[in-house]
Amino acid sequence: MPVRIGKIELIGLTNIYTEDARNLVQQRVPGQSGSVFQDLGREPVTVVMEGILLGEDTQASLEELRQAQMKAKPLSFAADAVAGADLTEVIIADFQVKQLAGHQNRFSFHLKVREHQEPPEPADAGVAAVNAAVANDAATWAGGAVDAAGVLQAPESLMAAVDKNPELLGHLSADELGSVITQGQDSLSGKNFGSLLGTLGKVNPQVIGDLLKTLQDGGNLGSFIEKLATEGINVLEALTGVDLGAALSIVKGVAGASDFLAKLRRVASEAQALGLQIQDLDPLAPFQNLEVKG
């Protein structure tokens, strides 16, 4: 009946048995006969083995078992002989060795192992991770609030601040962001405006419609549409994947207006170039070198 503990195979077993018990607490009832037992669960399974160690590697096996017993180190366990005891790891609880007289590498042993069970996690095991996540979220929120306040004080710093911390857009209302954009519109290009809308779509998409309406009501949306048209910026591409909801119609209107204006400018430019060509055209030039014969 071979048994393997760790890397050691015990092939000289003469006796093996298990000890199974439950932890029962007896509660006596005053004035009554009998008792009440409270079941606190089963005890770890104990396996007792007795036998002989022999062979050339006996000393190494003994030392490994001693070290495991001293350090309470869990060892893997496999034994077909222990029926009904589904053990995978054990800890050596007691290890007694006696060298047999007349044999250099032959020892008798008494080995008691107990089922190893991982201790349960404490009730507050996940509290530290939750606290860390809350602290990180609080720090991010505080950083965004501070950066948003800085942008309100210095509107010209909007794009630099957004590049550094996009989350600040979540701390600005549509009116506040519209005011910042209006005050810094001279320094904002069409590309900046498209990038700003794209970032806002990721951080706070529900504000986009109100922001465009605020700019429209303030008479400033047209200048940004002109910049988008001049630079060939398509705001719909910047907002790809963003659920615009009710703001979709006004965004499509801005994109359509900028596209129409861009095409109109191209037509005007081509017409101007054609006018210059016609102005320089001399219809009699091909006939100036012709000779008239009488």
Side-chain angles (χ1 to χ4, degrees), residues 19-21 42-47 74-75 77 85-93 112-118:
E19 296 177 352
D20 299 89
R42 71 174 179 85
E43 295 286 348
V45 176
T46 299
V47 181
L75 297 174
F77 181 84
D86 188 14
L87 304 180
T88 55
E89 286 189 332
V90 295
I91 292 180
I92 298 177
K112 180 185 289 186
V113 299
R114 288 188 177 178
E115 176 185 8
H116 174 251
Q117 297 176 335
E118 292 292 338

Side-chain angles (χ1 to χ4, degrees), residues 160-185:
V162 170
D163 290 340
K164 179 181 177 182
N165 183 12
E167 297 299 325
L168 72 88
L169 293 176
H171 297 267
L172 295 174
S173 66
D175 291 338
E176 290 173 335
L177 186 55
S179 176
V180 171
I181 292 175
T182 300
Q183 294 180 59
Q185 63 179 332

Side-chain angles (χ1 to χ4, degrees), residues 13-63:
L13 288 175
T14 59
N15 190 20
I16 180 171
Y17 60 91
T18 63
E19 296 177 352
D20 299 89
R22 298 199 69 82
N23 189 358
L24 300 177
V25 177
Q26 182 179 8
Q27 305 288 349
R28 296 187 179 277
V29 181
Q32 296 184 10
S33 60
S35 303
V36 176
F37 289 90
Q38 182 179 5
D39 185 2
L40 300 182
R42 71 174 179 85
E43 295 286 348
V45 176
T46 299
V47 181
V48 180
M49 292 166 282
E50 297 173 342
I52 298 175
L53 284 174
L54 62 151
E56 297 180 356
D57 297 332
T58 303
Q59 295 289 346
S61 298
L62 288 174
E63 185 60 26

Side-chain angles (χ1 to χ4, degrees), residues 93-148:
D94 186 25
F95 184 43
Q96 302 175 23
V97 180
K98 182 188 299 183
Q99 186 171 9
L100 299 179
H103 301 278
Q104 182 178 359
N105 293 320
R106 184 172 295 184
F107 302 85
S108 65
F109 68 89
H110 175 88
L111 181 63
K112 180 185 289 186
V113 299
R114 288 188 177 178
E115 176 185 8
H116 174 251
Q117 297 176 335
E118 292 292 338
E121 292 187 358
D124 60 346
V127 173
V130 173
N131 289 340
V134 171
N136 183 62
D137 290 343
T140 301
W141 187 92
V146 171
D147 291 341

Side-chain angles (χ1 to χ4, degrees), residues 197-213:
L197 289 180
T199 305
L200 185 61
K202 298 175 182 178
V203 177
N204 197 11
Q206 60 270 23
V207 175
I208 293 178
D210 294 335
L211 171 63
L212 295 177
K213 190 175 185 306

Side-chain angles (χ1 to χ4, degrees), residues 154-160 180-193 224 227 231:
E156 68 279 359
S157 66
L158 174 62
M159 293 309 301
V180 171
I181 292 175
T182 300
Q183 294 180 59
Q185 63 179 332
D186 292 339
S187 61
L188 290 176
S189 64
K191 182 178 181 180
N192 292 150
F193 187 66
F224 286 107
K227 290 181 179 181
E231 300 176 28

